[in-house]
Amino acid sequence: MNTGIAATARFAGVSEEEEKRRRRRASKLYAMRNYPPEKVAGAILRAVLDDRAVVPVTPEARGARLLSRLMPGALRAIARLEPPL
């Protein structure tokens, strides 16, 4: 979701300069994806109306949800990878 949250995120265990670099990189990635908060809000409202507990909104989230259902070990292995920030 493209909001200002990436600009204020905290990255533990890195220097202040590295944290600033990671914030800029994360902000850039979110801006490139450009998934607006309105789409997320709409998905949440539909989930409430349909009484659904888990609602993956973005295509990436849907893919991860499917992978967690079909191959949970693979998803856990991917989650342990260090992201290239």
Side-chain angles (χ1 to χ4, degrees):
M1 185 165 69
N2 189 13
T3 66
I5 195 167
T8 58
R10 293 182 182 207
F11 294 88
V14 297
S15 68
E16 190 174 327
E17 296 83 28
E18 178 65 13
E19 185 173 45
K20 287 178 184 178
R21 187 188 72 75
R22 288 185 180 196
R23 282 180 182 160
R24 285 191 303 271
R25 177 76 173 137
S27 293
K28 182 179 175 184
L29 290 172
Y30 277 108
M32 284 174 37
R33 181 64 179 92
N34 200 27
Y35 206 84
E38 294 81 12
K39 281 190 175 183
V40 176
I44 292 170
L45 289 175
R46 285 190 300 279
V48 169
L49 293 174
D50 296 340
D51 196 29
R52 291 188 293 158
V54 178
V55 184
V57 178
T58 64
E60 301 87 36
R62 288 187 197 107
R65 174 82 169 147
L66 180 63
L67 188 59
S68 76
R69 304 283 294 179
L70 299 176
M71 300 169 53
L75 185 64
R76 286 192 296 270
I78 291 169
R80 286 190 294 268
L81 295 175
E82 185 70 29
L85 287 177

